[in-house]
Amino acid sequence: MPLEDGSISKEPDGSFNEDYCRWCYADGKFMYHNMDDLIDVCVKHMAEQGFSEEQARSYMKEMLPKLDYWKQGKELEDDGVEDFKQNLVEEFNSLNIEGMPNVEKLNALVGAYVNIEYPLPNGKTVKLLDDNATYLGDQLESELGDGRFFGVIANSDILMVVSYGKDITDPELILYKKR
């Protein structure tokens, strides 16, 4: 699969692994072990780029099985990634944040995609994430009916919950904690 420089994954030592994108493989670990989960994530992003959901799903179902990772024909080792994701889901759900629905699954997210600026009381803004890192997270629609969304983002070091309006307007940092 042809990849632009900014989409190439990295090994734990920081070297590039040109065989995989940074959403599927990060820090020496595969982020997806179920093709349907990966297809669901890709379909959302492709729909934002003008593909119909049906076109995107059909394309991914045809293309993914051709990639080496999926052609292995055996159960792929997850190196504890699925357990790690489940632990993060439980951590997020135990926060009991008003209006935030339960987190059900987490997807690989590139830092530059989710690293937005948050306003500080002094009028300045701050970004809290590493643009080059890969995180696990999801976007959840608020249960309060206020048109806002929650973003949940985590890795082995941090747990973060944010709230924002449509098109990521009016961002608010709800929780940022070291794990």
Side-chain angles (χ1 to χ4, degrees):
M1 179 164 99
L3 298 172
E4 297 175 13
D5 289 348
S7 298
I8 297 173
S9 66
K10 289 186 180 181
E11 296 291 349
D13 66 2
S15 64
F16 287 100
N17 180 330
E18 297 187 19
D19 294 330
Y20 302 101
C21 72
R22 62 197 281 182
W23 294 275
C24 293
Y25 183 81
D27 298 323
K29 296 187 187 290
F30 290 101
M31 297 289 111
Y32 295 94
H33 303 285
N34 178 303
M35 190 181 299
D36 290 331
D37 286 347
L38 178 57
I39 289 172
D40 288 344
V41 170
C42 292
V43 165
K44 281 193 253 182
H45 292 292
M46 291 174 74
E48 293 171 2
Q49 296 175 5
F51 290 90
S52 73
E53 184 175 322
E54 187 176 292
Q55 287 173 317
R57 189 168 302 284
S58 174
Y59 173 76
M60 295 306 293
K61 283 186 175 189
E62 181 182 327
M63 192 267 304
L64 284 179
K66 296 176 184 175
L67 299 178
D68 287 344
Y69 176 76
W70 299 104
K71 287 191 325 188
Q72 292 178 19
K74 61 181 179 133
E75 190 169 322
L76 300 164
E77 297 294 322
D78 75 3
D79 296 325
V81 171
E82 293 306 316
D83 288 340
F84 178 64
K85 283 182 179 181
Q86 187 56 42
N87 288 339
L88 290 174
V89 164
E90 290 170 12
E91 280 187 65
F92 280 122
N93 290 337
S94 71
L95 296 171
N96 296 314
I97 295 173
E98 183 182 358
M100 187 173 94
N102 277 337
V103 176
E104 294 181 13
K105 66 181 182 176
L106 298 170
N107 304 303
L109 303 168
V110 174
Y113 180 73
V114 294
N115 194 14
I116 61 177
E117 292 183 336
Y118 298 96
L120 296 173
N122 66 3
K124 294 185 180 189
T125 59
V126 64
K127 286 187 173 188
L128 300 169
L129 303 175
D130 179 350
D131 283 349
N132 296 310
T134 300
Y135 297 91
L136 293 169
D138 201 1
Q139 175 177 282
L140 310 164
E141 190 169 350
S142 172
E143 294 179 330
L144 300 176
D146 56 4
R148 293 189 62 82
F149 296 88
F150 288 95
V152 294
I153 304 159
N155 64 13
S156 59
D157 298 324
I158 61 111
L159 199 69
M160 186 168 152
V161 178
V162 300
S163 175
Y164 45 84
K166 185 179 180 195
D167 299 324
I168 312 184
T169 56
D170 194 26
E172 178 185 351
L173 181 63
I174 306 246
L175 173 97
Y176 183 93
K177 77 174 194 173
K178 293 282 188 180
R179 297 188 68 243

